[in-house]
Amino acid sequence: MANYALRVPESLFSYARQVAEEEHVSMNQFFVTAIAEKVSALKTETYFRERQARGDLAAFDQWLAASPKAKPVPGDEKP
């Protein structure tokens, strides 16, 4: 496990401390979780951008055209 000295503005630190107390977690756990959430969000965004770049609308249209024309399953109707 690595250590990193983090400089945090006092106002943000006070708010983080308040939230950590409300969540009954340590400040360390709060910061680690916040970092993990941010990394996850960025990696997810990258994943979907890469998937979008690989997309082929013509192939999707072909797949859609080949799909059977079936009535919706009960419960799947449009509202």
Side-chain angles (χ1 to χ4, degrees), residues 11-24:
S11 59
L12 181 58
F13 188 81
S14 295
Y15 184 70
R17 181 187 312 243
Q18 177 185 351
V19 174
E21 288 175 4
E22 290 170 359
E23 296 295 317
H24 306 290

Side-chain angles (χ1 to χ4, degrees):
M1 182 152 314
N3 290 324
Y4 182 81
L6 182 64
R7 298 178 76 156
V8 181
E10 189 60 42
S11 59
L12 181 58
F13 188 81
S14 295
Y15 184 70
R17 181 187 312 243
Q18 177 185 351
V19 174
E21 288 175 4
E22 290 170 359
E23 296 295 317
H24 306 290
V25 298
S26 67
M27 289 292 288
N28 185 72
Q29 184 176 353
F30 178 79
F31 283 124
V32 169
T33 301
I35 293 166
E37 288 177 4
K38 181 63 176 186
V39 168
S40 176
L42 293 172
K43 290 183 72 67
T44 299
E45 179 184 7
T46 299
Y47 170 79
F48 281 114
R49 286 191 193 283
E50 290 170 355
R51 287 287 304 209
Q52 178 186 22
R54 294 193 322 255
D56 182 347
L57 288 177
F60 175 71
D61 287 339
Q62 283 181 323
W63 173 83
L64 194 58
S67 298
K69 305 280 189 252
K71 291 184 179 182
V73 175
D76 284 350
E77 300 90 359
K78 290 183 180 181

